[in-house]
Amino acid sequence: YLYGLEPNVFVAGVLGGLPPGRLLLPGEGEGRNAVWAARRGWTVDAVDQSTVGRDKALALAARHGVAIRYDVADLARAAFTPGAYDAVAVAFVHLPSAVRAAVHGRLAAALRPGGTLVMEVFSKDQLPLSTGGPKNPDMLYVPDDLRRDFATLRIDSLESLRVTLDEGALHRGEAAVLRLVAVR
């Protein structure tokens, strides 16, 4: 498990303060967030392009005695049911700018009225750091990207921070991140 077995700290902190409902996890990878949420009563739909990630996530869910739904799909083409989710959680999903806004728009539309979007991603300030994320600046974020992409939502918080990550072998050390919480 390249990013460890524990959930993303920011995602878990926000979701832990919400009543469990239906949760969408795009770009979920190996299932650490999905299994954590399912163990706390969330009905989890995960999506990622990796069959290896899906297999690891389903094995982790079985080990913890929970069920998750996990689809293999390219986020650029994945369809999400509008108004279906109480929360959408995005942890370190980085898309090319050519598809990013459209994917983010579909994620926002997938929220029910009152639903919460929580997101942690690397900012462009991450480029000189070696603690994860793409080295292509087109796939990193600035706050205005997220404000624009999620203009249909009420942004409750959007922070640009330096944090210390401890998420498996690939996210360890000082990192430059953006953290967003928004509500439909």
Side-chain angles (χ1 to χ4, degrees):
Y1 290 85
L2 295 174
Y3 300 100
L5 296 172
E6 297 301 316
N8 173 274
V9 171
F10 180 65
V11 167
V14 174
L15 291 180
L18 299 175
R22 191 166 175 205
L23 171 65
L24 175 62
L25 291 161
E28 176 54 9
E30 299 171 327
R32 64 193 176 114
N33 299 305
V35 170
W36 176 89
R39 292 178 71 196
R40 280 147 187 83
W42 289 89
T43 300
V44 176
D45 291 343
V47 180
D48 197 284
Q49 65 185 359
S50 170
T51 57
V52 172
R54 179 201 60 205
D55 293 348
K56 287 174 122 179
L58 294 177
L60 185 61
R63 192 163 52 224
H64 287 282
V66 296
I68 60 173
R69 181 174 163 225
Y70 199 114
D71 293 326
V72 175
D74 178 350
L75 292 179
R77 292 187 280 283
F80 308 111
T81 305
Y85 294 95
D86 299 293
V88 174
V90 181
F92 297 114
V93 176
H94 296 87
L95 304 166
S97 61
V99 300
R100 186 197 72 233
V103 172
H104 287 173
R106 290 197 308 277
L107 295 176
L111 287 167
R112 293 182 176 137
T116 300
L117 174 93
V118 55
M119 173 182 269
E120 182 170 45
V121 292
F122 289 114
S123 75
K124 289 191 187 286
D125 293 335
Q126 179 69 12
L127 277 172
L129 304 175
S130 61
T131 51
K135 292 304 178 190
N136 178 351
D138 183 61
M139 296 177 72
L140 298 170
Y141 299 89
V142 296
D144 282 344
D145 294 334
L146 300 183
R147 282 190 198 95
R148 193 172 33 256
D149 291 356
F150 295 108
T152 62
L153 304 180
R154 182 190 77 230
I155 294 178
D156 285 351
S157 66
L158 175 55
E159 298 179 287
S160 180
L161 303 166
R162 290 282 179 136
V163 299
T164 301
L165 296 178
D166 187 13
E167 299 182 337
L170 298 183
H171 284 174
R172 185 163 289 140
E174 183 183 10
V177 300
L178 297 177
R179 290 178 170 174
L180 170 70
V181 178
V183 176
R184 179 162 185 213

